Amino acid sequence: PKWWKGVKKVEAISQGDANEIGKMMHYSWRSTLPYTLSFDVISTKVERPYILEGDAIGELEGEGKWQLSYNIGITTVQYNWNVNTTKKWMKILAPLLRPLFKWNHNVVMRWGAEGLAKKLDADLVKY
């Protein structure tokens, strides 16, 4: 919440093992559209500082994979998020509102990229 606009709350639920496998975090998100999504992410793979994977449960369910790489002075973050909502109204309206949901998601991701770049005092390179 301190650097990523749209993140309303983050709470540690459990710490996991020594490598943080099994660590569970609770997240609440809100963007431009007037709804909140809350879910937990349980870490399933941690290979510092390059890979982080986790499973989402709650109002979003699925998996996320973060990969960081470094080449010629540039750190690249690739984030793959393969989730579905469990909110009944969103599932029902998804065929009609998918473009709006996608736009809203892209707004949140842009806020995150901009916030992280600012926090790290780094240039944000857009592809």
Side-chain angles (χ1 to χ4, degrees), residues 39-102:
F39 55 92
D40 299 332
V41 175
I42 304 165
S43 63
T44 58
K45 183 177 183 179
V46 178
E47 293 179 10
R48 293 187 186 278
Y50 302 107
I51 297 173
L52 176 61
E53 296 181 6
D55 292 334
I57 56 173
E59 293 179 335
L60 288 182
E61 291 188 345
E63 62 183 17
K65 297 180 181 185
W66 299 260
Q67 291 183 290
L68 288 82
S69 60
Y70 181 82
N71 188 22
I72 313 172
I74 297 174
T75 299
T76 301
V77 179
Q78 180 176 332
Y79 178 47
N80 297 310
W81 191 231
N82 184 18
V83 294
N84 293 301
T85 183
T86 61
K87 284 192 167 196
K88 192 170 188 168
W89 72 267
M90 290 181 83
K91 291 173 95 166
I92 291 169
L93 294 175
L96 178 64
L97 298 180
R98 189 169 317 282
L100 190 59
F101 291 156
K102 182 177 180 180

